[in-house]
Amino acid sequence: MDTRPQWFLLIIGVLALGGILISFYFLGKSLESSIYDKIEFIELDQNYVKCINAVCLSEGCVINNLEEYNNLIEILDSPECEQFSLPKIDFSQYALLGKSVKATGCEREFIREVERADGTKKILYKIDVKERGFCKLLAIKNNWILIPKIPSGYKLEFFVRCGRVENCG
């Protein structure tokens, strides 16, 4: 009995299955990337960032109205912030997001991105920290941005990715 045709069919079957699996992998990647749309945001002025604090910063702040703004935000008591006052924000148009991130290195770059997925009703605030050099100095950066008003029923998630810091979140 000649087994060559059976081996040939087995090899063709394995190749076909592999091709199908690879196609599904790339289809899934393209669908995954098309689910989220980038959202334009406004980075807040450095004076604002260095003169305010909020208890929610470590987990991530989502401030949707004036009452939350007045209750959650405090002006730091330091000489450089004496003349500082909270800027006016139109909360009918915007939401204020803040997230505290720890990082080390001689130089640090914080790359912020906001994405919205209407299918899953999620908004992602992503902060990618690029650390350069091997300095041990720990820096904490408060990342405040304004985004368009968050639609009702949407959930906001914070995502932080760091270089060499074990617990940068």
Side-chain angles (χ1 to χ4, degrees):
M1 176 177 226
D2 189 11
T3 59
R4 280 184 278 183
Q6 291 174 344
W7 279 107
F8 179 75
L9 289 174
L10 181 63
I11 290 170
I12 295 295
V14 168
L15 290 174
L17 182 60
I20 291 170
L21 291 175
I22 289 171
S23 297
F24 279 123
Y25 173 79
F26 284 110
L27 176 64
K29 285 290 186 190
S30 70
L31 287 175
E32 180 181 83
S33 65
S34 66
I35 290 175
Y36 287 94
D37 295 319
K38 291 206 185 310
I39 295 178
E40 295 294 320
F41 61 88
I42 301 167
E43 252 181 86
L44 296 185
D45 182 271
Q46 257 332 98
N47 289 326
Y48 184 82
V49 171
K50 71 181 178 186
C51 285
I52 65 167
N53 191 29
V55 292
C56 56
L57 274 169
S58 59
E59 290 139 25
C61 298
V62 181
I63 300 175
N64 289 301
N65 58 52
L66 189 58
E67 183 181 349
E68 292 173 348
Y69 187 55
N70 289 330
N71 289 336
L72 292 174
I73 302 291
E74 66 177 353
I75 297 174
L76 296 176
D77 187 19
S78 75
E80 63 188 332
C81 298
E82 284 178 2
Q83 301 299 316
F84 179 81
S85 62
L86 289 175
K88 293 187 186 333
I89 296 175
D90 182 356
F91 286 103
S92 68
Q93 299 291 315
Y94 296 101
L96 178 63
L97 308 181
K99 177 75 173 114
S100 176
V101 176
K102 299 174 196 165
T104 61
C106 305
E107 294 178 22
R108 293 157 300 278
E109 180 183 6
F110 296 85
I111 301 165
R112 297 164 196 84
E113 231 177 48
V114 182
E115 297 177 342
R116 174 177 161 164
D118 291 325
T120 56
K121 294 195 173 197
K122 281 187 188 175
I123 295 176
L124 294 176
Y125 179 16
K126 300 192 301 188
I127 304 168
D128 191 11
V129 183
K130 304 239 185 240
E131 300 163 326
R132 293 178 189 87
F134 293 97
C135 302
K136 298 281 184 189
L137 178 67
L138 177 66
I140 299 173
K141 169 87 170 175
N142 295 335
N143 297 272
W144 290 101
I145 62 170
L146 286 175
I147 65 168
K149 186 80 176 159
I150 300 171
S152 177
Y154 276 67
K155 181 180 177 194
L156 194 124
E157 294 180 6
F158 295 88
F159 178 76
V160 177
R161 185 174 56 191
C162 299
R164 293 175 302 280
V165 178
E166 289 179 27
N167 182 16
C168 66

